[in-house]
Amino acid sequence: MRIIMDSQEQSLFQEFVKDVKPLKQDTVTFSLHRKHNLQQQQQEKRELREKEDTLFYFSDEYEPLLDETGSRYLREGDDHYLLKRLRRGDFVPDLFLDLHGLTREQAKQELAALLLACEKEHLPCACIMTGYGSFTLKNQIPRWLVQHPKVIAFHQAPKEWGGDAALLVLVDIGEVVI
């Protein structure tokens, strides 16, 4: 925007601003780019930590003592009634994880993320859908779940939550499950 002044207005303006001193630019500006880089670094560290946790908790060589179907488990010292309630469908899953089409490593990462999300969001029940396929994940998921200290119990899901192609998992969120 350009202001056009006649000579009289210009002289009045110069008279008015003659004692004004120019401001010195001494403020510090923060770059949004720097803030974005910091957030990106924190995200990368978090992902690396989650991957390390996954490798720590989920060993492929571990062979737990599960029942013949491998579709149920109760952590030692917990009430057997919890497993019965899980089987009956008394717990409604708060989160769902669909593992169709994932590799073993991808499934391992997603499983760790699901358990972490349950713990952070205080959601005690989750449903893991493995499907049938070649039974690779269906057989491996229970072996991984029993290794995680936050898993209280799991059982084959009732029909409304996927039947024998899914598992309901009960996660220890630090509160008493009623």
mmCIF file of all heavy atoms in Angstrom, residues 47-64:
data_model
loop_
_atom_site.group_PDB
_atom_site.id
_atom_site.type_symbol
_atom_site.label_atom_id
_atom_site.label_comp_id
_atom_site.label_asym_id
_atom_site.label_seq_id
_atom_site.Cartn_x
_atom_site.Cartn_y
_atom_site.Cartn_z
ATOM 1 N N GLU A 47 9.945 -44.876 18.673
ATOM 2 C CA GLU A 47 9.777 -46.058 17.824
ATOM 3 C C GLU A 47 10.898 -47.065 18.051
ATOM 4 O O GLU A 47 10.651 -48.270 18.092
ATOM 5 C CB GLU A 47 9.724 -45.638 16.351
ATOM 6 C CG GLU A 47 8.441 -44.933 15.970
ATOM 7 C CD GLU A 47 8.478 -44.374 14.556
ATOM 8 O OE1 GLU A 47 9.499 -44.545 13.853
ATOM 9 O OE2 GLU A 47 7.475 -43.767 14.157
ATOM 10 N N LEU A 48 12.123 -46.579 18.209
ATOM 11 C CA LEU A 48 13.254 -47.462 18.474
ATOM 12 C C LEU A 48 13.088 -48.173 19.812
ATOM 13 O O LEU A 48 13.319 -49.381 19.924
ATOM 14 C CB LEU A 48 14.564 -46.674 18.446
ATOM 15 C CG LEU A 48 15.838 -47.475 18.689
ATOM 16 C CD1 LEU A 48 16.038 -48.512 17.583
ATOM 17 C CD2 LEU A 48 17.036 -46.540 18.769
ATOM 18 N N ARG A 49 12.627 -47.429 20.836
ATOM 19 C CA ARG A 49 12.416 -48.022 22.156
ATOM 20 C C ARG A 49 11.319 -49.089 22.096
ATOM 21 O O ARG A 49 11.445 -50.161 22.681
ATOM 22 C CB ARG A 49 12.059 -46.928 23.161
ATOM 23 C CG ARG A 49 12.001 -47.423 24.600
ATOM 24 C CD ARG A 49 11.763 -46.298 25.588
ATOM 25 N NE ARG A 49 10.517 -45.600 25.341
ATOM 26 C CZ ARG A 49 10.417 -44.322 24.960
ATOM 27 N NH1 ARG A 49 11.481 -43.588 24.804
ATOM 28 N NH2 ARG A 49 9.237 -43.773 24.749
ATOM 29 N N GLU A 50 10.235 -48.811 21.354
ATOM 30 C CA GLU A 50 9.152 -49.778 21.223
ATOM 31 C C GLU A 50 9.631 -51.030 20.491
ATOM 32 O O GLU A 50 9.255 -52.142 20.845
ATOM 33 C CB GLU A 50 7.964 -49.158 20.493
ATOM 34 C CG GLU A 50 7.200 -48.163 21.334
ATOM 35 C CD GLU A 50 6.097 -47.456 20.570
ATOM 36 O OE1 GLU A 50 5.843 -47.808 19.395
ATOM 37 O OE2 GLU A 50 5.480 -46.547 21.145
ATOM 38 N N LYS A 51 10.475 -50.835 19.475
ATOM 39 C CA LYS A 51 11.003 -51.984 18.745
ATOM 40 C C LYS A 51 11.896 -52.822 19.654
ATOM 41 O O LYS A 51 11.829 -54.054 19.639
ATOM 42 C CB LYS A 51 11.786 -51.512 17.519
ATOM 43 C CG LYS A 51 12.224 -52.628 16.621
ATOM 44 C CD LYS A 51 12.834 -52.111 15.351
ATOM 45 C CE LYS A 51 13.180 -53.269 14.439
ATOM 46 N NZ LYS A 51 13.664 -52.839 13.147
ATOM 47 N N GLU A 52 12.735 -52.168 20.456
ATOM 48 C CA GLU A 52 13.586 -52.898 21.393
ATOM 49 C C GLU A 52 12.750 -53.641 22.424
ATOM 50 O O GLU A 52 13.063 -54.781 22.785
ATOM 51 C CB GLU A 52 14.554 -51.941 22.084
ATOM 52 C CG GLU A 52 15.646 -51.423 21.185
ATOM 53 C CD GLU A 52 16.471 -50.313 21.830
ATOM 54 O OE1 GLU A 52 16.100 -49.846 22.936
ATOM 55 O OE2 GLU A 52 17.468 -49.912 21.225
ATOM 56 N N ASP A 53 11.666 -53.000 22.911
ATOM 57 C CA ASP A 53 10.776 -53.668 23.858
ATOM 58 C C ASP A 53 10.136 -54.894 23.233
ATOM 59 O O ASP A 53 9.981 -55.931 23.877
ATOM 60 C CB ASP A 53 9.684 -52.710 24.347
ATOM 61 C CG ASP A 53 10.213 -51.667 25.309
ATOM 62 O OD1 ASP A 53 11.366 -51.815 25.771
ATOM 63 O OD2 ASP A 53 9.482 -50.693 25.585
ATOM 64 N N THR A 54 9.753 -54.762 21.974
ATOM 65 C CA THR A 54 9.131 -55.876 21.273
ATOM 66 C C THR A 54 10.093 -57.053 21.189
ATOM 67 O O THR A 54 9.726 -58.191 21.445
ATOM 68 C CB THR A 54 8.724 -55.444 19.853
ATOM 69 O OG1 THR A 54 7.822 -54.357 19.952
ATOM 70 C CG2 THR A 54 8.054 -56.574 19.108
ATOM 71 N N LEU A 55 11.326 -56.773 20.818
ATOM 72 C CA LEU A 55 12.311 -57.839 20.719
ATOM 73 C C LEU A 55 12.605 -58.445 22.089
ATOM 74 O O LEU A 55 12.879 -59.631 22.208
ATOM 75 C CB LEU A 55 13.598 -57.317 20.079
ATOM 76 C CG LEU A 55 13.456 -56.865 18.623
ATOM 77 C CD1 LEU A 55 14.756 -56.253 18.138
ATOM 78 C CD2 LEU A 55 13.016 -58.009 17.729
ATOM 79 N N PHE A 56 12.519 -57.628 23.140
ATOM 80 C CA PHE A 56 12.764 -58.119 24.489
ATOM 81 C C PHE A 56 11.652 -59.064 24.934
ATOM 82 O O PHE A 56 11.914 -60.128 25.482
ATOM 83 C CB PHE A 56 12.877 -56.940 25.464
ATOM 84 C CG PHE A 56 13.008 -57.378 26.886
ATOM 85 C CD1 PHE A 56 14.194 -57.896 27.374
ATOM 86 C CD2 PHE A 56 11.933 -57.275 27.752
ATOM 87 C CE1 PHE A 56 14.308 -58.307 28.691
ATOM 88 C CE2 PHE A 56 12.037 -57.680 29.064
ATOM 89 C CZ PHE A 56 13.233 -58.198 29.534
ATOM 90 N N TYR A 57 10.398 -58.674 24.712
ATOM 91 C CA TYR A 57 9.275 -59.458 25.214
ATOM 92 C C TYR A 57 8.943 -60.665 24.348
ATOM 93 O O TYR A 57 8.536 -61.693 24.848
ATOM 94 C CB TYR A 57 8.019 -58.591 25.332
ATOM 95 C CG TYR A 57 8.051 -57.642 26.492
ATOM 96 C CD1 TYR A 57 7.866 -56.287 26.295
ATOM 97 C CD2 TYR A 57 8.263 -58.086 27.785
ATOM 98 C CE1 TYR A 57 7.883 -55.406 27.359
ATOM 99 C CE2 TYR A 57 8.294 -57.221 28.851
ATOM 100 C CZ TYR A 57 8.097 -55.872 28.633
ATOM 101 O OH TYR A 57 8.123 -55.007 29.685
ATOM 102 N N PHE A 58 9.070 -60.543 23.035
ATOM 103 C CA PHE A 58 8.559 -61.576 22.138
ATOM 104 C C PHE A 58 9.676 -62.350 21.459
ATOM 105 O O PHE A 58 10.182 -61.975 20.424
ATOM 106 C CB PHE A 58 7.648 -60.961 21.082
ATOM 107 C CG PHE A 58 6.493 -60.172 21.647
ATOM 108 C CD1 PHE A 58 6.165 -58.940 21.135
ATOM 109 C CD2 PHE A 58 5.736 -60.674 22.684
ATOM 110 C CE1 PHE A 58 5.110 -58.223 21.645
ATOM 111 C CE2 PHE A 58 4.675 -59.961 23.209
ATOM 112 C CZ PHE A 58 4.358 -58.732 22.683
ATOM 113 N N SER A 59 10.031 -63.460 22.054
ATOM 114 C CA SER A 59 11.034 -64.345 21.476
ATOM 115 C C SER A 59 10.329 -65.387 20.612
ATOM 116 O O SER A 59 9.289 -65.929 20.992
ATOM 117 C CB SER A 59 11.805 -65.042 22.591
ATOM 118 O OG SER A 59 12.580 -66.089 22.066
ATOM 119 N N ASP A 60 10.911 -65.693 19.478
ATOM 120 C CA ASP A 60 10.338 -66.712 18.592
ATOM 121 C C ASP A 60 10.729 -68.126 19.028
ATOM 122 O O ASP A 60 10.092 -69.093 18.640
ATOM 123 C CB ASP A 60 10.795 -66.483 17.150
ATOM 124 C CG ASP A 60 10.173 -65.228 16.559
ATOM 125 O OD1 ASP A 60 9.046 -64.884 16.949
ATOM 126 O OD2 ASP A 60 10.824 -64.591 15.700
ATOM 127 N N GLU A 61 11.761 -68.242 19.846
ATOM 128 C CA GLU A 61 12.232 -69.554 20.265
ATOM 129 C C GLU A 61 11.511 -70.091 21.503
ATOM 130 O O GLU A 61 11.561 -71.269 21.793
ATOM 131 C CB GLU A 61 13.750 -69.527 20.559
ATOM 132 C CG GLU A 61 14.608 -69.436 19.311
ATOM 133 C CD GLU A 61 14.754 -68.021 18.798
ATOM 134 O OE1 GLU A 61 14.744 -67.074 19.619
ATOM 135 O OE2 GLU A 61 14.852 -67.846 17.578
ATOM 136 N N TYR A 62 10.858 -69.229 22.247
ATOM 137 C CA TYR A 62 10.213 -69.627 23.504
ATOM 138 C C TYR A 62 9.021 -70.533 23.225
ATOM 139 O O TYR A 62 8.177 -70.234 22.384
ATOM 140 C CB TYR A 62 9.763 -68.384 24.271
ATOM 141 C CG TYR A 62 9.098 -68.693 25.583
ATOM 142 C CD1 TYR A 62 9.819 -69.187 26.652
ATOM 143 C CD2 TYR A 62 7.740 -68.474 25.749
ATOM 144 C CE1 TYR A 62 9.206 -69.460 27.867
ATOM 145 C CE2 TYR A 62 7.116 -68.748 26.957
ATOM 146 C CZ TYR A 62 7.859 -69.239 28.005
ATOM 147 O OH TYR A 62 7.253 -69.508 29.198
ATOM 148 N N GLU A 63 8.953 -71.652 23.918
ATOM 149 C CA GLU A 63 7.842 -72.595 23.784
ATOM 150 C C GLU A 63 7.135 -72.727 25.133
ATOM 151 O O GLU A 63 7.572 -73.473 26.002
ATOM 152 C CB GLU A 63 8.346 -73.975 23.332
ATOM 153 C CG GLU A 63 8.727 -74.057 21.873
ATOM 154 C CD GLU A 63 7.545 -73.888 20.933
ATOM 155 O OE1 GLU A 63 6.410 -74.290 21.294
ATOM 156 O OE2 GLU A 63 7.759 -73.331 19.849
ATOM 157 N N PRO A 64 6.043 -72.009 25.331
ATOM 158 C CA PRO A 64 5.330 -72.083 26.607
ATOM 159 C C PRO A 64 4.503 -73.361 26.723
ATOM 160 O O PRO A 64 4.228 -74.021 25.721
ATOM 161 C CB PRO A 64 4.419 -70.861 26.559
ATOM 162 C CG PRO A 64 4.146 -70.676 25.101
ATOM 163 C CD PRO A 64 5.419 -71.090 24.403
#
